[in-house]
């Protein structure tokens, strides 16, 4: 029997006076792996790839998160994915790298509000307050690997693999209600 859990593609998952949990609109995502002189990629992408794990940079609608020593995720409008892939393919011979379209793999959940950071502590052992605004971290949330981006003191974006989204979405919804009821 194939049991598939339905998960919304947009909208608000939970909202209370403590926090709001909603889904971000779809965006393009590319996984980039590269080593050596990154200037050809920087020129092609129109930005300087961050060189510190957790750092984020953006240029226009393109945002890049440095996740590992030779690993970045590029977020961009869906319509820009093919152009970025083609542009990077043009420099592959001179600068070998791996660029994979992972747009369909994840959803982004937005967690915001006065108790957004506290809501995240319900499933994340990491000290949320140590993540500076403007940075990102690959971490675990209730045993699931996620990428957590901090946009403001009270606003986060969490990238979650589609297969785990219903579970984590339900957990965040429950936590949002518990915080509002002050029962945690």
């Amino acid at each position: 029997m194939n049991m598939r859990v339905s998960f919304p593609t947009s909208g608000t998952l939970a909202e209370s006076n403590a926090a709001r949990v909603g889904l971000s609109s779809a965006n393009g995502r590319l996984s980039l792996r590269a080593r050596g002189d990154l200037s050809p990629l920087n020129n092609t992408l129109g930005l300087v790839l961050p060189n510190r794990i957790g750092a984020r940079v953006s240029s226009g609608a393109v945002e890049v998160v440095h996740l590992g020593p030779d690993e970045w995720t590029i977020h961009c409008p869906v319509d820009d994915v093919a152009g970025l892939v083609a542009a990077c393919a043009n420099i592959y011979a001179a600068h070998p790298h791996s660029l994979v379209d992972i747009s369909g793999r994840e959803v982004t959940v937005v967690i915001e509000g006065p108790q957004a950071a506290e809501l995240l502590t319900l499933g994340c052992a990491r000290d949320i307050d140590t993540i500076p605004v403007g940075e990102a971290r690959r971490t675990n949330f209730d045993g699931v690997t996620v990428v957590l981006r901090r946009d403001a003191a009270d606003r986060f974006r969490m990238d979650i693999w589609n297969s785990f989204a219903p579970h984590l979405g339900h957990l965040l919804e429950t936590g949002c209600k518990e915080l509002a009821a002050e029962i945690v």
Side-chain angles (χ1 to χ4, degrees):
M1 176 182 351
N2 183 2
M3 295 182 66
R4 212 175 147 102
V5 177
S6 175
F7 192 73
T9 56
S10 64
T12 300
L13 301 176
E15 188 166 9
S16 71
N17 60 344
R20 179 188 173 281
V21 179
L23 289 171
S24 176
S25 58
N27 66 30
R29 299 171 210 275
L30 298 166
S31 175
L32 172 64
R33 302 296 297 259
R35 293 185 178 159
D37 178 14
L38 300 176
S39 57
L41 286 164
N42 293 338
N43 293 335
T44 300
L45 295 170
L47 50 74
V48 176
L49 292 168
N51 61 4
R52 186 176 43 78
I53 295 172
R56 292 167 37 195
V57 298
S58 61
S59 177
V62 176
E63 177 184 78
V64 179
V65 178
H66 193 190
L67 294 176
D70 64 353
E71 178 184 8
W72 296 263
T73 297
I74 301 168
H75 296 264
C76 63
V78 173
D79 294 341
D80 292 354
V81 169
L84 288 172
V85 169
C88 288
N90 288 335
I91 65 164
Y92 184 81
H95 189 71
H97 60 276
S98 171
L99 186 68
V100 179
D101 181 356
I102 58 169
S103 300
R105 182 179 79 182
E106 301 170 348
V107 296
T108 300
V109 175
V110 178
I111 302 106
E112 56 192 344
Q115 291 181 278
E118 187 175 350
L119 175 59
L120 291 170
T121 65
L122 297 174
C124 186
R126 177 182 287 278
D127 182 356
I128 301 299
D129 290 333
T130 65
I131 302 172
V133 171
E135 292 206 5
R137 299 291 184 271
R138 179 182 281 148
T139 189
N140 284 317
F141 191 85
D142 197 45
V144 176
T145 301
V146 299
V147 174
L148 185 62
R149 294 177 279 164
R150 188 171 204 162
D151 296 325
D154 61 352
R155 185 176 194 279
F156 299 83
R157 286 178 288 163
M158 184 187 302
D159 298 332
I160 307 168
W161 282 34
N162 286 320
S163 56
F164 295 106
H167 168 66
L168 295 189
H170 177 71
L171 183 66
L172 289 165
E173 177 184 7
T174 301
C176 189
K177 291 174 184 175
E178 289 175 351
L179 285 172
E182 298 180 4
I183 59 173
V184 273

